[in-house]
């Protein structure tokens, strides 16, 4: 993926940036896809079920309530998600096995790491709107992530629909300085 979230935000005022300090793992430093969601609290059962389904290039957004007490994603599930075609995972909470995930063909954003695994009760909700960082993540909407952050695009819009040429040219002209 060559598009940058910063360029997309500059070119599309309706692009919504998630205002959380995500860290990134995995070999895909940038990824995009249609959103699927989970809302869980320190529980991994629904996530395990979801990543075992074909991902079709989608991005799984897991609202873990920002909890850093238990990891709700790890290397085994990252491997499953990658094999099943998920583009990436965004976690409002913690993961574990970050070093191992860094070697995998997937993009993962999370608030940080903790070694303790989440419970497996199955409590939670899937494919519901979840909100964190000032953004509501709605299933089916388009998410784009890179090292600068995570954004959600307006309904029905993909990154390919946004013309960034003008903002990139304006930035380049500014960087070149005043013309003489």
């Amino acid at each position: 993926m060559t598009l940058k979230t910063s360029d997309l935000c500059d070119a599309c005022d309706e692009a919504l940036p998630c205002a959380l300090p995500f860290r990134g793992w995995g070999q895909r430093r940038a990824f995009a896809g249609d959103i699927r969601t989970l809302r869980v609290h320190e529980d991994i059962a629904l996530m395990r079920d979801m990543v075992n389904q074909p991902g079709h290039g989608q991005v799984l957004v897991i609202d873990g309530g920002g909890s850093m007490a238990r990891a709700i994603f790890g290397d085994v599930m990252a491997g499953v998600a990658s094999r099943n075609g998920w583009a990436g995972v965004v976690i409002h909470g913690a993961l574990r096995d970050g070093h191992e995930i860094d070697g995998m063909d997937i993009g993962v954003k999370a608030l940080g790491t903790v070694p303790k695994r989440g419970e497996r009760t199955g409590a939670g909700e899937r494919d519901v709107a979840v909100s964190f960082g000032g953004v509501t993540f709605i299933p089916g909407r388009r998410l784009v992530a890179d090292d600068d952050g995570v954004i959600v695009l307006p309904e029905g819009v993909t990154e390919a629909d946004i013309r960034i040429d003008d903002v990139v040219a304006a930035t380049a002209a500014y960087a070149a300085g005043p013309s003489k």
Side-chain angles (χ1 to χ4, degrees), residues 13-171:
D13 289 336
E14 296 81 25
L16 302 174
C18 184
L20 289 176
F22 288 112
R23 293 175 52 199
W25 289 268
Q27 293 179 346
R28 292 187 194 178
R29 303 312 291 184
F31 56 92
D34 293 343
I35 295 171
R36 296 283 307 271
T37 65
L38 293 174
R39 180 182 295 126
V40 299
H41 181 72
E42 300 176 5
D43 197 282
I44 65 170
L46 288 179
M47 177 275 303
R48 288 171 62 170
D49 291 345
M50 186 77 84
V51 299
N52 271 293
Q53 298 174 16
H56 304 292
Q58 298 173 104
V59 176
L60 179 58
V61 176
I62 306 172
D63 183 0
S67 174
M68 297 300 293
R70 289 179 176 256
I72 54 176
F73 196 73
D75 64 338
V76 172
M77 291 300 102
V80 171
S82 176
R83 284 191 303 277
N84 285 332
W86 291 87
V89 180
V90 175
I91 304 160
H92 183 220
L95 60 75
R96 68 185 198 166
D97 309 314
H99 179 74
E100 291 79 5
I101 293 171
D102 271 340
M104 297 180 180
D105 182 26
I106 192 164
V108 182
K109 298 287 186 190
L111 297 178
T113 61
V114 67
K116 189 167 182 73
R117 179 181 61 210
E119 298 287 339
R120 288 180 250 160
T121 68
E125 299 173 277
R126 73 173 73 211
D127 291 320
V128 295
V130 297
S131 298
F132 52 86
V135 175
T136 300
F137 297 84
I138 300 169
R141 296 275 293 271
R142 192 78 174 172
L143 180 148
V144 182
D146 64 12
D147 286 330
D148 284 339
V150 172
I151 64 173
V152 175
L153 300 180
E155 185 174 358
V157 175
T158 71
E159 59 277 15
D161 298 327
I162 300 173
R163 295 202 35 137
I164 62 167
D165 300 346
D166 293 340
V167 296
V168 171
T171 301

